[in-house]
Amino acid sequence: MAATVTPPRGMRDFLPAEKARREHALGVIRDVYAAHGFDEIETPVMEDSSRLHAGLGGDNEKLAFAVMKRGLTSEDLAAAAASGEALALADLGLRYDLTVPLARFYATHRAALPPVFRAIQIAPVWRAERPQKGRYRQFVQCDIDIIGEPGPLAELELLTATIATLDALGLGGCTIRLNDRRILGGILTSWNVPDDLRERALITIDKLDKIGTAGVAAELVELRAVDASTDVAAQLEALTSADWHLRDGVVPPPAWLDLDAYRDLLALREALPDAAIEFDPTLVRGMGYYTGTIFEIAHPDFGYSLGGGGRYDHMIGRFLGQEVPACGFSIGFERIVDLLAIRDHSRPRAVVLVYDPEVSPAELLRLKDELVSGGTRVRLERRVKNLRALLDRVAADGFDAFAQVGPDTTDAASLAFRDLSA
């Protein structure tokens, strides 16, 4: 028996109906982003290995696929094995997100870009994940970023564009969860977390929804980020119930609360009066490059985030040698695309012409061209004995109707179409 032929583990093929659904969703996303003033760019799938492992990507750096140098010798392999530095054999790597490539892109092309640059990036990224439901080694990210705007206008534009996009996809009723890295820093300070363990501590806190308060507390103690006598679990429980009641003048603010950051979050909430916005001081966003506001979008029907982002003001300075403010948002495309149905009005009518073998190719093409010129999508299918199986297949591919073409068919107007959904 022949071996089963499948894509690489954690990667997928897409059949025509799946591909159509994905392209429909991507088209909606692109159109709404463009309407909000963003411009699409494209970057290479690979970046220099040193950029991908510059300490900016958190745990995702460990998941980057490395590309080996060309012309390696046995001596090179032996030296890498002896040193334990496998990355010494690589000079490139597949991008694990779109933010690091954007920072490099801006540093490369800054002179040709406007003072405030609004970018769209929609492209695949790769991570050496352990494949499981909803988690792949190759997946599409849909990012918008604003570079050069230091004030809250950047966050507000990103959030409004994202909410409008989800509404256009039929996923309205979302909630925005807001936090700020300065507030997280205040929490770590209140726990006396050492400076060299602060990023590790944040990665642990980011697991709160997976391992719970007791699990986070135990891991922080194991890391020696907090003292075992600190009742971190109880404090985390209190943090999860924090809300906008911490505003000045209502209750004395807790010691961990960075008041400047909190006031900035209040200003965002007040500028978006029609949006459901929650304050969540335990929201982390795992990337190490965030410097200020961070946010996620949640939907009441799903137990996971539909996207997130935040401010990363120091990343571009790593490449440019000069600080440039930046803020971005990424939609969780793979999480939402399977929830979407292609709306009938969003695509052209699609029909199948089932033809007899006696009909000449020239006549088939004439009929097809006549329909295509009128805006209809057309597929030609030779008649087979099992017509029902053929019709079931093309219906699954997204076709709406079919007509039979025989030697006596004269023009497209004479075709008798039958609904495939009947």
Side-chain angles (χ1 to χ4, degrees), residues 237-364:
E237 288 289 351
L239 288 170
T240 58
S241 63
D243 204 343
W244 299 111
H245 67 273
L246 301 177
R247 69 178 67 214
D248 294 347
V250 177
V251 295
W256 53 262
L257 185 65
D258 185 297
L259 291 177
D260 288 338
Y262 187 65
R263 292 188 189 102
D264 289 345
L265 297 182
L266 281 170
L268 293 178
R269 178 177 181 246
E270 291 164 3
L272 296 170
D274 297 327
I277 300 179
E278 296 178 354
F279 171 54
D280 183 356
T282 66
L283 177 65
V284 174
R285 302 291 303 164
M287 297 301 193
Y289 47 64
Y290 290 124
T291 58
T293 315
I294 48 178
F295 31 78
E296 283 191 351
I297 297 274
H299 192 281
D301 294 341
F302 316 115
Y304 47 76
S305 165
L306 297 186
R311 182 166 285 280
Y312 54 99
D313 286 345
H314 300 326
M315 180 186 286
I316 295 173
R318 294 277 194 100
F319 302 134
L320 196 62
Q322 176 183 348
E323 293 298 328
V324 179
C327 197
F329 193 101
S330 180
I331 282 181
F333 179 74
E334 304 296 350
R335 289 184 167 182
I336 66 174
V337 66
D338 290 337
L339 306 172
L340 308 177
I342 300 177
R343 300 171 187 171
D344 291 339
H345 65 266
S346 67
R347 59 176 175 83
R349 184 169 183 250
V351 303
V352 175
L353 300 183
V354 181
Y355 63 90
D356 291 339
E358 296 83 6
V359 182
S360 71
E363 180 63 18
L364 288 172

Side-chain angles (χ1 to χ4, degrees), residues 167-197:
D167 285 345
L169 290 169
L171 295 170
C174 293
T175 298
I176 303 168
R177 297 168 61 207
L178 282 181
N179 197 17
D180 194 292
R181 277 295 178 111
R182 291 172 291 176
I183 290 174
L184 286 167
I187 294 171
L188 297 183
T189 298
S190 72
W191 293 343
N192 297 313
V193 176
D195 289 345
D196 61 334
L197 292 176

Side-chain angles (χ1 to χ4, degrees), residues 105-283:
F105 172 93
Y106 184 84
T108 302
H109 300 285
R110 184 183 186 188
L113 299 173
V116 176
F117 179 50
R118 296 167 175 83
I120 303 170
Q121 283 190 101
I122 300 178
V125 300
W126 293 264
R127 294 178 191 170
E129 298 272 13
R130 193 176 123 222
Q132 53 189 289
K133 181 176 175 57
R135 193 176 291 273
Y136 308 102
R137 289 178 171 174
Q138 176 178 321
F139 55 95
V140 170
Q141 285 193 334
C142 300
D143 286 14
I144 46 174
D145 294 81
I146 298 179
I147 300 176
E149 172 54 63
L153 180 60
E155 282 89 341
L156 291 171
E157 283 199 86
L158 292 169
L159 290 170
T160 53
T162 299
I163 293 169
T165 299
L166 294 173
D167 285 345
L169 290 169
L171 295 170
C174 293
T175 298
I176 303 168
R177 297 168 61 207
L178 282 181
N179 197 17
D180 194 292
R181 277 295 178 111
R182 291 172 291 176
I183 290 174
L184 286 167
I187 294 171
L188 297 183
T189 298
S190 72
W191 293 343
N192 297 313
V193 176
D195 289 345
D196 61 334
L197 292 176
R198 290 171 82 90
E199 283 302 320
R200 292 281 304 278
L202 289 177
I203 291 170
T204 296
I205 296 170
D206 200 29
K207 301 176 185 178
L208 187 60
D209 60 338
K210 298 182 181 69
I211 63 176
T213 55
V216 169
E219 189 169 315
L220 290 172
V221 171
E222 185 180 349
L223 288 171
R224 298 187 178 181
V226 299
D227 189 270
S229 62
T230 303
D231 193 355
V232 171
Q235 294 183 44
L236 282 170
E237 288 289 351
L239 288 170
T240 58
S241 63
D243 204 343
W244 299 111
H245 67 273
L246 301 177
R247 69 178 67 214
D248 294 347
V250 177
V251 295
W256 53 262
L257 185 65
D258 185 297
L259 291 177
D260 288 338
Y262 187 65
R263 292 188 189 102
D264 289 345
L265 297 182
L266 281 170
L268 293 178
R269 178 177 181 246
E270 291 164 3
L272 296 170
D274 297 327
I277 300 179
E278 296 178 354
F279 171 54
D280 183 356
T282 66
L283 177 65

Side-chain angles (χ1 to χ4, degrees), residues 19-69:
K19 181 64 174 174
R21 183 171 57 249
R22 292 173 71 85
E23 290 302 318
H24 161 71
L26 291 172
V28 171
I29 293 167
R30 282 189 168 96
D31 288 347
V32 178
Y33 283 170
H36 281 256
F38 292 82
D39 295 310
E40 189 162 5
I41 64 169
E42 184 174 328
T43 58
V45 302
M46 292 187 288
E47 293 285 344
D48 286 345
S49 180
S50 59
R51 293 195 185 108
L52 295 173
H53 295 87
L56 298 169
D59 273 2
N60 287 328
E61 292 192 4
K62 301 174 185 176
L63 302 176
F65 283 100
V67 179
M68 296 178 71
K69 297 175 182 176

Side-chain angles (χ1 to χ4, degrees), residues 338-400:
D338 290 337
L339 306 172
L340 308 177
I342 300 177
R343 300 171 187 171
D344 291 339
H345 65 266
S346 67
R347 59 176 175 83
R349 184 169 183 250
V351 303
V352 175
L353 300 183
V354 181
Y355 63 90
D356 291 339
E358 296 83 6
V359 182
S360 71
E363 180 63 18
L364 288 172
L365 288 178
R366 186 181 67 77
L367 288 170
K368 181 179 180 180
D369 287 346
E370 189 175 344
L371 291 167
V372 170
S373 65
T376 301
R377 181 185 178 214
V378 183
R379 176 183 289 179
L380 300 175
E381 291 279 357
R382 181 189 291 269
R383 179 191 295 279
V384 294
K385 287 184 179 180
N386 190 348
L387 182 60
R388 172 45 54 193
L390 185 154
L391 297 179
D392 288 345
R393 172 169 56 82
V394 297
D397 287 345
F399 286 85
D400 308 306

